[in-house]
Amino acid sequence: MSAALGKRTMTLNMGPQHPATHGVLRVELELDGETVVKATPHIGYLHTGIEKNAEAKLYYKVMPMTDRMDYLAPMSNNLGYCLAMEKLLALEMSDKIIYARVLLTELTRIASHLVWVGTHALDLGAMSMLLYAFRDREMIIDIYEAVSGQRMMSTYFRIGGLAHDLPANFDREVKKILKVIPERIKDYERLLTDNKIFRNRTVGVASISAEDAISYGLTGPSLRGSGVNYDVRKANPYCGYEKFEFNVPLGEKGDVYDRYLVRMKEIQQSLKIATQAIEGMPEGPYQVHAPGIVLPPKQDILTKMESLIFHFKIITEGFKPPKGAVYQAIEAPKGELGYYISSDGSNKPHRMRVRPPSFVNLSALPKMIEGRLVADVVAAIGSIDIVLGEVDR
Amino acid sequence: MKEKLTDFLRLNFPEAVIREDNFCDQQSFYIHGEYLFDICRAFQSDKELEFNFLMDICSLDWWGQPDEAEGRFEVVYNLYSLKHRYRFFLKVRLPAKEPKIDSVTSLWHTADWLEREVYDMMGIFFVGHPDLRKIVTPDELDGYPLRKDFPLTYEVPQFSYNKDQLPEVIL
C-alpha cells in the first residue's frame, strides 16, 4: 500500500481554533489512519510579553498583569507574586491576611477545577456538566466581585496585605457556598465517576508513569495522578498552610481518569481548608504596617500629611528592595507556579520569571498521546488542564 | 542539607564552584559553565541527594549593570529534590558574545521546552539540544525580546509625512 500511495501518514492540524484545545493551541498531528504517530504542539499565539513588560513597571504595577496569565485562577497568580515580593522585602504577614489569602486561593482552586471538570466533560461529550459547573463557579465569581469589584481579573492581593478590607457580608456569603458546593460535587461524581461512557473515554488513556512525569517536570494534579506525592502546600508550606489540616489525594496509574479523580478529591480538600479558614479568621487590619511599601488607607490620605506624602511617593517612585534574587513557589490549581524575581536595587524588577505550570505540563503532551487514537488527544489535552494565557505569557 | 550540598560540590567538583550565595535563605552556587552538565548529572544520580526534579531554567541579562563584568548573561537552573523537599539553584554566567552552554535535555525531558524558551527569548544557545527552535515568538521576529537592549515600545506608525524622520531601527 505504501508504495502505491507514497507517504503512509498524513498530517492534521488540530487548532488553533479547535474548541477542545482550550484556547489557541495548535497540535500538528502525524496520523497513520486514526493513530497518532507524532504530535508537535505549537504555542505562542497568545504571547503578550508579560515578563518583558514587568521589567518596565514599578513593582506594585506588575500585579494586574499576573491575573492575566492564568485567568481562571487570578488569586493564585496574585498570591505567588505577593509572596515572592514579601520574601524579597522581608515582610511578615498578620494572621488575618494569611487566613483571607488562603481562603480566597482555595476558593480559586475550586473555581478553576470546576471550569476544568465542566470543559473536560464537554470535550468528552457530557454537555450538561459544563452548565452545572459554570453555575457553581458563578457563586465564587460573585465572591470575587464582592471583595474586589471585579469578576475575573480581581487583583485583590497587594504586596503587604489586601487591597481593601473584606466586605461586611463576606462570612455569610462564603459559608453559603461552603454549604452548597459539597452537595453539588456529589451530584457531579454521580454523573461522571461511574459513568460508563466517561470511563471508556478516560480509563487507561494517556497514562504517564511516575518516572516520566518527574522527567517531564509535571506538577500539580497531573503529577499526583501518577502517584507522586508532591504538593507545594505540604512539601514547602507557604502563606501559613502548615496551620491547616488537609490531605493530598494521589492517583495510581496516571491516566486521564486518575487525574480526574485527583481533581475531584482536591475540591473536597479545598473545601475543608476553606472551612477552617473562614472559621478561624481573626479580626485585624487588612494590611501590615510597612510605610513606604504599603499604600496608606484612603481615609488617612485625606486627613494626614505623612500619609499623603507616602501615598505620593509610592505611586510615583515605588520602593526599592535590596539587590538579589528570590524564588517563591505556590501550588496553583494547575501545578507549581513559581516567581523568580531578580532585583538590582532599583524600583523596577530587573527580571521577573514565571515558572508556568501549564507550559511545562503541556510539554508532556506528545509523550501522552503518541501511539494513541485521535479521540484520545482531546481527552489528554483536557486532562492536563492548560490555560494558554499562562503557556504563552 | 545546606552543608551537604556544599561538601558534595567541594568534594566532587573542587574547581567548578566560583562562589556560594545564601540570599533570603535560598542556596545558590555560581559555577563555571563547562561543569554544568556533569554537576547536574551527579546531583540527579546521587542516591543520597537525589535532586531528580528540574523545576525551571531561566535567564537574566545584566547589560549595562556593574554585574556585567562577570559575564553578561546568567542562566539559572532550579533543582528540586522530591526526597528531601529541598530546592537550590545553579547559576552560570555567560559572555555577551556567543553565549552557549551544554543542554541538559538528555537528563530531563522538561529541559527541552525550557531551553527552547530561553533560546527564543534571550538568545542563549544550548549545545546538544535536539530541536532548538523558536517556541513563543513569531518566526518573523528578529532578535531576542528579553535582552535588555531589545526595545520595549510601540511601533511608530509610518505615514508619508514622517517617513524620513523615522529611524531605521525604532528604539
Side-chain angles (χ1 to χ4, degrees):
Chain A
M1 176 186 157
S2 55
L5 292 173
K7 224 169 112 188
R8 227 180 108 84
T9 58
M10 74 173 241
T11 308
L12 181 77
N13 253 325
M14 189 169 159
Q17 281 93 9
H18 195 287
T21 56
H22 294 233
V24 279
L25 167 70
R26 178 161 73 95
V27 188
E28 199 182 315
L29 297 171
E30 207 177 313
L31 301 175
D32 178 6
E34 225 186 314
T35 315
V36 179
V37 181
K38 192 167 178 276
T40 322
H42 291 275
I43 60 170
Y45 294 93
L46 218 57
H47 179 62
T48 45
I50 284 176
E51 288 179 10
K52 177 80 175 171
N53 269 309
E55 291 170 13
K57 294 202 184 312
L58 298 177
Y59 278 104
Y60 70 92
K61 287 185 183 170
V62 177
M63 189 68 72
M65 290 199 301
T66 59
D67 295 79
R68 281 142 182 88
M69 286 187 292
D70 182 355
Y71 43 79
L72 295 176
M75 298 271 190
S76 303
N77 290 259
N78 287 170
L79 182 70
Y81 181 71
C82 283
L83 290 176
M85 283 313 296
E86 281 153 13
K87 201 175 190 179
L88 189 61
L89 295 158
L91 290 180
E92 282 284 329
M93 291 301 114
S94 68
D95 268 4
K96 152 94 178 215
I97 299 168
I98 288 175
Y99 275 68
R101 282 179 173 181
V102 167
L103 173 60
L104 286 164
T105 40
E106 289 308 321
L107 288 180
T108 302
R109 190 185 315 279
I110 297 169
S112 173
H113 282 354
L114 280 173
V115 173
W116 171 79
V117 74
T119 50
H120 183 53
L122 177 70
D123 289 346
L124 300 178
M127 181 122 195
S128 44
M129 258 321 288
L130 180 84
L131 305 172
Y132 290 138
F134 269 74
R135 175 190 61 184
D136 288 358
R137 174 180 178 248
E138 197 62 24
M139 296 191 294
I140 294 169
I141 298 280
D142 284 344
I143 294 284
Y144 286 0
E145 195 179 3
V147 295
S148 70
Q150 284 280 3
R151 294 172 64 77
M152 274 183 83
M153 306 298 159
S154 49
T155 324
Y156 180 57
F157 300 157
R158 290 284 185 279
I159 299 165
L162 310 168
H164 335 272
D165 210 346
L166 297 168
N169 57 353
F170 183 73
D171 256 40
R172 206 182 63 226
E173 293 297 317
V174 171
K175 278 179 182 156
K176 217 192 286 175
I177 291 182
L178 294 180
K179 220 163 120 186
V180 174
I181 290 186
E183 291 303 314
R184 301 262 171 91
I185 298 297
K186 272 183 209 153
D187 287 350
Y188 305 154
E189 296 227 45
R190 262 207 301 279
L191 270 173
L192 292 177
T193 308
D194 292 322
N195 185 322
K196 204 172 171 192
I197 303 168
F198 184 74
R199 286 186 66 124
N200 277 346
R201 291 292 305 272
T202 54
V203 174
V205 170
S207 54
I208 189 161
S209 68
E211 225 166 75
D212 281 338
I214 291 170
S215 178
Y216 275 97
L218 289 184
T219 44
S222 309
L223 176 71
R224 292 193 285 276
S226 300
V228 183
N229 189 349
Y230 175 60
D231 184 319
V232 191
R233 290 174 294 174
K234 279 272 189 220
N236 309 90
Y238 56 90
C239 193
Y241 267 105
E242 64 274 9
K243 295 177 189 164
F244 297 91
E245 222 178 277
F246 63 100
N247 299 324
V248 180
L250 295 178
E252 280 164 19
K253 297 192 289 290
D255 55 3
V256 176
Y257 188 67
D258 273 11
R259 274 168 244 151
Y260 156 79
L261 286 182
V262 165
R263 287 202 179 87
M264 290 312 264
K265 283 179 196 154
E266 250 179 39
I267 296 181
Q268 282 162 359
Q269 294 303 322
S270 288
L271 288 166
K272 206 167 141 189
I273 301 173
T275 313
Q276 291 170 46
I278 192 80
E279 261 150 28
M281 177 107 58
E283 288 293 313
Y286 64 93
Q287 285 180 327
V288 291
H289 181 70
I293 294 170
V294 177
L295 282 179
K298 192 72 185 167
Q299 200 52 42
D300 287 2
I301 298 167
L302 301 172
T303 51
K304 286 183 191 152
M305 184 71 188
E306 292 78 14
S307 297
L308 180 66
I309 295 171
F310 271 127
H311 182 89
F312 182 75
K313 285 198 74 159
I314 294 172
I315 295 292
T316 53
E317 255 181 53
F319 45 83
K320 294 178 180 169
K323 189 173 183 301
V326 290
Y327 179 85
Q328 176 67 49
I330 68 158
E331 183 72 27
K334 271 92 188 165
E336 169 166 333
L337 173 73
Y339 282 85
Y340 185 92
I341 296 173
S342 163
S343 152
D344 56 359
S346 71
N347 55 2
K348 291 171 186 165
H350 167 248
R351 172 88 165 88
M352 182 189 85
R353 155 76 182 169
V354 184
R355 191 246 183 229
S358 298
F359 175 86
V360 182
N361 290 358
L362 181 61
S363 69
L365 181 69
K367 171 77 189 165
M368 288 179 187
I369 57 178
E370 272 167 15
R372 303 203 62 94
L373 301 178
V374 181
D376 295 343
V377 177
V378 175
I381 293 176
S383 76
I384 49 178
D385 193 13
I386 48 165
V387 164
L388 268 295
E390 189 179 63
V391 173
D392 297 340
R393 279 155 293 128
Chain B
M1 199 62 204
K2 252 181 194 155
E3 295 77 35
K4 254 190 206 166
L5 292 187
T6 318
D7 291 344
F8 181 81
L9 277 175
R10 197 184 295 144
L11 200 72
N12 296 305
F13 303 94
E15 60 271 32
V17 182
I18 302 168
R19 67 169 191 277
E20 190 185 331
D21 181 15
N22 275 307
F23 183 74
C24 275
D25 214 25
Q26 290 178 151
Q27 199 175 20
S28 44
F29 297 97
Y30 285 86
I31 56 168
H32 290 291
E34 60 268 30
Y35 294 99
L36 176 89
F37 185 84
D38 293 336
I39 289 179
C40 283
R41 191 169 50 190
F43 271 118
Q44 189 193 29
S45 55
D46 190 85
K47 287 277 173 295
E48 168 65 32
L49 296 169
E50 219 177 297
F51 277 84
N52 51 356
F53 211 119
L54 175 69
M55 208 49 101
D56 194 17
I57 301 175
C58 83
S59 54
L60 287 81
D61 182 5
W62 292 99
W63 187 67
Q65 303 255 7
D67 290 65
E68 202 185 342
E70 275 184 75
R72 177 176 165 180
F73 297 107
E74 185 178 317
V75 186
V76 182
Y77 292 78
N78 181 342
L79 296 186
Y80 189 79
S81 165
L82 289 174
K83 190 173 159 193
H84 298 287
R85 309 276 186 225
Y86 190 78
R87 182 193 312 283
F88 79 100
F89 301 87
L90 288 173
K91 300 183 177 180
V92 181
R93 281 301 179 86
L94 298 173
K97 213 175 161 195
E98 286 183 32
K100 59 177 183 228
I101 189 159
D102 290 334
S103 166
V104 291
T105 33
S106 51
L107 302 177
W108 291 283
H109 284 110
T110 177
D112 182 356
W113 277 33
L114 292 171
E115 284 177 355
R116 270 175 72 189
E117 197 192 356
V118 172
Y119 159 73
D120 188 8
M121 301 300 280
M122 197 63 100
I124 288 160
F125 292 85
F126 290 89
V127 182
H129 190 287
D131 186 22
L132 197 64
R133 59 195 162 86
K134 279 169 165 276
I135 185 160
V136 284
T137 60
D139 293 342
E140 307 85 68
L141 186 87
D142 278 334
Y144 305 107
L146 275 181
R147 288 193 176 181
K148 289 280 179 186
D149 50 359
F150 190 94
L152 174 74
T153 176
Y154 63 96
E155 204 169 318
V156 184
Q158 192 175 359
F159 299 106
S160 49
Y161 75 90
N162 66 354
K163 203 176 170 188
D164 306 328
Q165 296 159 18
L166 288 180
E168 262 180 43
V169 180
I170 300 164
L171 280 173

